[in-house]
Amino acid sequence: MARAAVLERLIPPRVSIVWHEATVTEVVVESRRARTIVFAIPDWPGHRAGQHLDVRLTAEDGYTAERSYSLSSAPEDGVVAVTVDEIEDGEVSPYLVEEVRAGDVLEVRGPIGGHFTWSVDEGGPLVLVAGGSGIVPIMAMLRHRARRGSTADVRLLRSVRDPDVALWSAELAALTPAEGLQVRTTWTRRAPDGWDGPTGRITEPMLADLGPAPDAAPRAFVCGPTPFVEHVADLLIDLGHDPARIHTERFGGA
């Protein structure tokens, strides 16, 4: 079955990567439920756009919990940053969003992941599709592209519930005039006042209009909740995109 060839990371590869003591240098409010946590990690080996790291929290009674979070910082930024979207019933994300402050020291491990990554040296074209906070690893790619002054053909379609939870709208608008970059949004529940663009769930015509066409052999990166990723990957395949060039990354509650 063609869909079985879609490249996917469901479970982080548990390679031999050491834990680091990471000092929080800044916490940035991104939306009412999302924060970017910036770390200083003296022995950080560097990372690629699209990778993630593990965070380990240890309670006073010794109970530990680990979760993976995508890196939102570009490799060129000189810092390590993750952006965490709070899950209402999550075990770790509420603590990271509501409690973590500058000066705290957390245990982190990474960078992790190899298939959901992109470097400007690999060129384009790219089709990027993000559902909700699935924009996080994709934002690292766009920042990396901007830092390197790339003009690679990159098309982004993001699906966002409403403006209150949208991440980096202003930054995306500032990046959009760059040569070769197109950014589009569809709002699934409530659009901004005066919006005359797409609304609702991502459809095949939206992806066809986004382009580039399958015969241009773009690589596609799709990130979001599992139903979203499966839906978009199926649409891309139905449009004729090569399943082997579709990279997916899913996430659930944390």
Side-chain angles (χ1 to χ4, degrees):
M1 183 176 176
R3 285 175 172 79
V6 172
L7 301 175
E8 185 163 347
R9 176 176 72 81
L10 286 172
I11 301 174
R14 297 303 177 190
V15 296
S16 178
I17 300 174
V18 300
W19 288 96
H20 306 267
E21 284 197 349
T23 301
V24 177
T25 61
E26 185 178 11
V27 177
V28 180
V29 177
E30 304 288 5
S31 74
R32 60 177 168 81
R33 70 179 197 188
R35 304 286 185 272
T36 292
I37 302 172
V38 183
F39 297 107
I41 309 175
D43 50 353
W44 183 252
H47 63 271
R48 287 168 56 85
Q51 288 189 297
H52 60 281
L53 57 70
D54 290 344
V55 175
R56 180 167 65 188
L57 301 180
T58 303
E60 292 182 356
D61 64 1
Y63 173 76
T64 62
E66 296 177 18
R67 295 293 185 274
S68 295
Y69 295 99
S70 294
L71 292 154
S72 52
S73 51
E76 295 81 7
D77 286 348
V79 297
V80 180
V82 296
T83 300
V84 180
D85 191 35
E86 181 176 359
I87 305 300
E88 188 173 341
D89 298 324
E91 183 179 34
V92 175
S93 62
Y95 174 81
L96 295 177
V97 169
E98 298 172 9
E99 304 296 335
V100 167
R101 299 288 185 273
D104 289 348
V105 178
L106 302 179
E107 288 185 291
V108 305
R109 178 172 61 182
I112 298 172
H115 88 279
F116 200 89
T117 63
W118 176 71
S119 165
V120 296
D121 298 327
E122 299 169 56
L126 300 184
V127 176
L128 309 177
V129 187
S133 59
I135 190 68
V136 174
I138 286 172
M139 197 66 197
M141 295 179 186
L142 295 180
R143 287 169 171 163
H144 166 60
R145 180 185 183 279
R147 308 291 188 265
R148 293 280 299 274
S150 170
T151 58
D153 182 357
V154 176
R155 321 281 179 92
L156 166 63
L157 176 58
R158 62 173 184 155
S159 174
V160 187
R161 190 177 66 184
D162 62 64
D164 291 342
V165 297
L167 296 175
W168 303 305
S169 293
E171 184 174 351
L172 288 169
L175 290 175
T176 301
E179 181 181 354
L181 176 62
Q182 294 185 33
V183 176
R184 300 184 185 183
T185 302
T186 180
W187 305 95
T188 59
R189 293 191 186 179
R190 180 174 61 85
D193 293 340
W195 177 257
D196 60 357
T199 58
R201 196 180 189 195
I202 288 178
T203 63
E204 190 170 305
M206 285 184 196
L207 291 172
D209 185 58
L210 178 69
D215 57 10
R219 293 175 70 192
F221 292 85
V222 184
C223 185
T226 295
F228 173 88
V229 168
E230 291 180 348
H231 172 67
V232 172
D234 286 349
L235 293 179
L236 289 170
I237 292 170
D238 290 344
L239 281 168
H241 288 272
D242 181 356
R245 297 182 68 79
I246 300 173
H247 305 252
T248 65
E249 185 160 291
R250 310 173 183 210
F251 55 77

